[in-house]
Every structure is written in C-alpha cells, then in structure tokens.
Amino acid sequence: MKLSRFAAVSSSLLLGAVLAFTGSGAAQAAATASVNYVALGDSYSSGVGAGSYDSASGDCKRSANAYPMLWKASHATTSFAFNACSGAVTTDVTNNQLGSLNSSTTLVSITIGGNDAGFSDVMTTCILQSDATCVSRVNQAKSYVDTTLPARLDAVYTAIRNKAPNAKVVVLGYPRFYMLNGTCIAGLSETERSAINGASDYLNAAISKRAANKGFTFSSVTSTFSGHEICSGSAWLHSVNWLNIGESYHPTAAGQSGGYLPRLNAVA
C-alpha cells in the first residue's frame, strides 16, 4: 500500500513536471510567434554600405544584410515592417516611418540622431579642411547635441511610445569610426580622427540619456566594433569612397552582422 501510494505520488509529480515543461514550452513558442517587429531609423538601420539593396526601397537603400533583416531571419515573427531610410532625421521618422506601429507592436529598433547633428557635413569638413576647421565643426555639432537634439529625440521617442504603447523599444548607438594610431598611413590626421571619435561618444551619451528617460533600452555598439574601426586592418566600416560617396563611413555587411545584430540580440 505504501509503495502504491509512493508510486502514485511520484507519477503525479512526474506528470506535473511534464505538463509544466510542455506548457512553458508552448507559452514560449506562443510568445516567440507573437513578435511584431518594426525597424525604424536612418542609414545605419536601413543598411547603407552593406549591399544587396531592395530596389523597391529606392533612395532609402534598405539592405538584405541590414541588422533588422538579419534579426527577422533568425526569429519567428508574426509581422515585420522595415521602415528605416537612408538620410532620415528625427522628423522623417515621425512624419514617414510610424505608420506600421500599433498596440500589437512588440519590438521596435531605431538608430537616429546622427543626421540631425550634421554627421555628413562633419565628415566632409574634416576630410577637406584643416585640423582646426575640423575640430571647430565637431564642436559645433556637439553644441547642437546639447541644445537642439534632446528635444528632437524626445519628440520622436514620444511619438513611438504613443503609437506602440506595448512595445519594447531598442535604441542603438553609433560606432567609433577610427582606431587611433592604427594602420592608416594617409587621410585624416590623428587629431581629426580623435575629434570624430569623441563626437560619436558625445552623441551616443546624449541619445542614451534621452532613451533612458523615456524608458527605452539603449544598446551601444562601441564594444562590438572595437578592433574593427577604420585603420584597424579589419574594418567593419567603409572609409571615404569617392566612387560611392554615400557608403562612406557606414557599416559593411560584416558591421551589420557582427557589430549591430549582436547588440540587438542581447536586449531584444
């Protein structure tokens, strides 16, 4: 009798464990299957520099090698909208990219702010002008980051939250562009490279603060790009390319898969 009771209890415990395991597995599968992902932002999210562009995306240059596409390919998603566009500033996101967001959206990723701060003009100035002019232009960009960018970021983050109240929002940063004292023997001076790296850090700090204030997750890519900056000998970023100027200073396909994708995977 005691043995039979023991066997019955053991069977019940085993059955409960099996049901708990299979139940949690089913719940996990259901959760995975219910991912509704919307990718927003600028060229770092659209995948400029990574090749294999969708011709239907036109000047937005959305790449099959961009981190949103790579994330979608490795996860079961119920829906996916790839709205990031090359050249986008914060107002482009609020005016043109939020139509796919709704209360069912569960994940949003975005890179934004670099174009607002004048990234392209900073790089052009530093390539063509003197050290002093480059540093001055970088300082001008930093001033914009202090005085104007916070309100612009707040506006786009608020718009995202209003349209996707239940979504996890992941804000990704920008890489440092140069390995100092690296393999480059021509091009910008170390003073200019250091100033540009400092501007990237400054921008990331501002973006991180605004994202945190909104309750969003900021994910830095500085560590994943470490050792793969321009002048590293194993760069995941294009240097200036006069034959395809638009791809200059953007991540390669390896930068998207090795620099950005792991940071989204880590927090999404």
Side-chain angles (χ1 to χ4, degrees), residues 92 148 219:
D92 292 320
T148 306
S219 191

Short mmCIF file of all heavy atoms in Angstrom, two decimals, residues 92 148 219:
data_model
loop_
_atom_site.label_atom_id
_atom_site.label_comp_id
_atom_site.label_asym_id
_atom_site.label_seq_id
_atom_site.Cartn_x
_atom_site.Cartn_y
_atom_site.Cartn_z
N ASP A 92 11.77 62.97 -40.06
CA ASP A 92 11.42 61.99 -41.08
C ASP A 92 10.82 60.75 -40.44
O ASP A 92 9.90 60.13 -41.00
CB ASP A 92 12.66 61.58 -41.90
CG ASP A 92 13.18 62.71 -42.77
OD1 ASP A 92 12.36 63.43 -43.36
OD2 ASP A 92 14.42 62.87 -42.84
N THR A 148 19.79 71.35 -29.12
CA THR A 148 18.64 71.12 -30.00
C THR A 148 18.23 69.67 -30.10
O THR A 148 17.03 69.35 -30.14
CB THR A 148 18.95 71.66 -31.42
OG1 THR A 148 19.35 73.04 -31.32
CG2 THR A 148 17.75 71.54 -32.33
N SER A 219 21.34 50.47 -26.58
CA SER A 219 22.33 49.42 -26.78
C SER A 219 23.52 49.99 -27.56
O SER A 219 23.38 50.36 -28.73
CB SER A 219 21.72 48.24 -27.54
OG SER A 219 22.58 47.12 -27.53
#
